[in-house]
Amino acid sequence: MARDIPISRKALFSALAWIIGILIFFPIFWTILTSFKTELEAIASPPALFNFHWTLENYVEVQSRSNYFLHFANSVIISLGSTILGLIIAIPGAWAMAFVPGKRTNGTLMWMLSTKMLPPVGVLIPIYLIFRDTGLLDTRTGLVIVLTLINLPIIIWMLYTYFKEIPGEILEAARMDGASLKAEIIHVLTPMAVPGIASTLLLNVILAWNEAFWTLNLTAAKAAPLTAFIASYSSPEGLFYAKLSAASTMAIAPILILGWFSQKQLVRGLTFGAVK
């Protein structure tokens, strides 16, 4: 029997949720507003919230100074490519950890996740030298490979938790019906875990889209994504806040729109379970 939650407690939780949501979204909101200001209005004190001269000159200058659509295409290819490649590798790996009997699964998962604790700068020089010598420096292929390896532990960990919710008896029944290992993974396991796979894909696209350290150090111009596009507006002459805000808005707009339209799928995947 479900407990009745007092209306006052519901109101309190709703108010707290709104306050936290506003605090999280306000920097994005302020960045968007600043992108429509002039440089003088962007640094004015006290700052103006709405009563300023709205202008699109920052967006025009940002596009004329650098090719936004080239950086956007690079971000799409790198984020989707690294995520899809990661899923191709992670689905069989997570299946093995979830359904193949063994006592070292938890230890392996913890070891994989511990690689995320390593500061990226600790392996920057060897990876840079490998990329330079193999011709992968400043290429989309190189960034797809490195971002796949970086996010692979998270992809496997998430898929493992989703796969563990699927009853093993279903896979055993498929084996008894003569399903091969490939058919079991592709035609039985994967369709049942679509919500979990979709949420994993969305989260890792966001992670790859926002990755700045590797994209700034392993690219120059040809394969530079939107993170490098934003960084180009930090110069020795100083920060041009209005133009930097316009570049940031153009960079985050696609991922904000994706998150808005996929939020139901994301929540469904994060709460996914075959056994309710």
Side-chain angles (χ1 to χ4, degrees), residues 58-93:
N58 297 314
Y59 290 94
V60 174
E61 187 166 346
V62 164
Q63 177 58 27
S64 63
R65 174 177 167 177
S66 55
N67 190 345
Y68 166 79
F69 294 102
L70 173 63
H71 297 290
F72 172 77
N74 288 338
S75 286
V76 172
I77 293 172
I78 292 167
S79 58
L80 286 178
S82 63
T83 301
I84 293 173
L85 180 59
L87 286 174
I88 293 173
I89 299 172
I91 288 176

Side-chain angles (χ1 to χ4, degrees), residues 168-180 183-184 187-189:
E169 292 80 3
I170 296 178
L171 300 183
E172 292 178 3
R175 293 169 198 159
M176 293 178 64
D177 289 338
S180 64
E184 177 184 334
H187 299 296
V188 181
L189 179 67

Side-chain angles (χ1 to χ4, degrees), residues 47-219:
L49 187 58
F50 293 110
N51 56 335
F52 58 86
H53 176 66
W54 292 70
T55 179
L56 293 174
E57 64 180 12
N58 297 314
Y59 290 94
V60 174
E61 187 166 346
V62 164
Q63 177 58 27
S64 63
R65 174 177 167 177
S66 55
N67 190 345
Y68 166 79
F69 294 102
L70 173 63
H71 297 290
F72 172 77
N74 288 338
S75 286
V76 172
I77 293 172
I78 292 167
S79 58
L80 286 178
S82 63
T83 301
I84 293 173
L85 180 59
L87 286 174
I88 293 173
I89 299 172
I91 288 176
W95 169 87
M97 293 183 182
F99 299 109
V100 176
K103 299 180 179 179
R104 298 184 178 180
T105 297
N106 292 334
T108 303
L109 286 171
M110 287 303 300
W111 172 78
M112 293 179 59
L113 200 60
S114 68
T115 60
K116 296 292 293 180
M117 303 175 189
L118 174 69
V121 71
V123 292
L124 173 61
I125 293 178
I127 289 180
Y128 181 89
L129 295 176
I130 292 172
F131 273 45
R132 183 197 64 184
D133 296 339
T134 56
L136 292 175
L137 199 61
D138 197 20
T139 64
R140 294 170 176 172
T141 302
L143 284 178
V144 166
I145 293 173
V146 75
L147 293 184
T148 298
L149 296 176
I150 289 171
N151 293 327
L152 192 59
I154 295 178
I155 299 176
I156 292 180
W157 186 284
M158 292 183 65
L159 291 179
Y160 169 78
T161 59
Y162 297 136
F163 289 173
K164 286 295 289 183
E165 295 293 328
I166 297 176
E169 292 80 3
I170 296 178
L171 300 183
E172 292 178 3
R175 293 169 198 159
M176 293 178 64
D177 289 338
S180 64
L181 177 59
K182 179 181 178 181
E184 177 184 334
I185 295 176
I186 295 178
H187 299 296
V188 181
L189 179 67
T190 302
M192 294 185 64
V194 164
I197 293 173
S199 64
T200 302
L201 184 146
L202 290 171
L203 287 176
N204 283 275
V205 164
I206 294 172
L207 289 175
W209 188 279
N210 294 329
E211 176 60 41
F213 179 82
W214 293 107
T215 56
L216 292 177
N217 285 286
L218 298 179
T219 62

